[in-house]
Amino acid sequence: MKADPHMKYFDGRRGYVRVDMGRENAQVDFRTVPAITTPGGGISTTASFVTEVGSPGRLIRRYGTGGTAR
């Protein structure tokens, strides 16, 4: 974390990042799976971060947004 002071989220689970870039903001959702060996397992959004136009470096954290995706 010291090498990149902007990185503030880590939970050690496997998954992927979904990025939505819009004209007013950018949102990053950390999506995780409970087990990588179980086909058809659920997907959860464990954290989301949003930065708005005109506020560089300012992140809004949103934890647990979402639920299980199909």
Side-chain angles (χ1 to χ4, degrees):
M1 295 293 188
K2 290 180 182 180
D4 187 353
H6 302 289
M7 178 56 77
K8 303 289 184 192
Y9 181 77
F10 173 78
D11 77 355
R13 291 185 262 183
R14 292 185 183 235
Y16 61 94
V17 176
R18 176 176 60 190
V19 179
D20 182 19
M21 302 290 286
R23 292 185 184 271
E24 300 299 319
N25 61 38
Q27 179 168 330
V28 176
D29 300 319
F30 286 85
R31 309 276 287 161
T32 60
V33 294
I36 62 169
T37 57
T38 306
I43 301 170
S44 298
T45 301
T46 56
S48 294
F49 296 89
V50 176
T51 187
E52 298 173 340
V53 170
S55 299
R58 181 173 171 259
L59 291 177
I60 302 167
R61 291 186 184 187
R62 298 179 183 153
Y63 289 101
T65 62
T68 302
R70 295 174 195 229

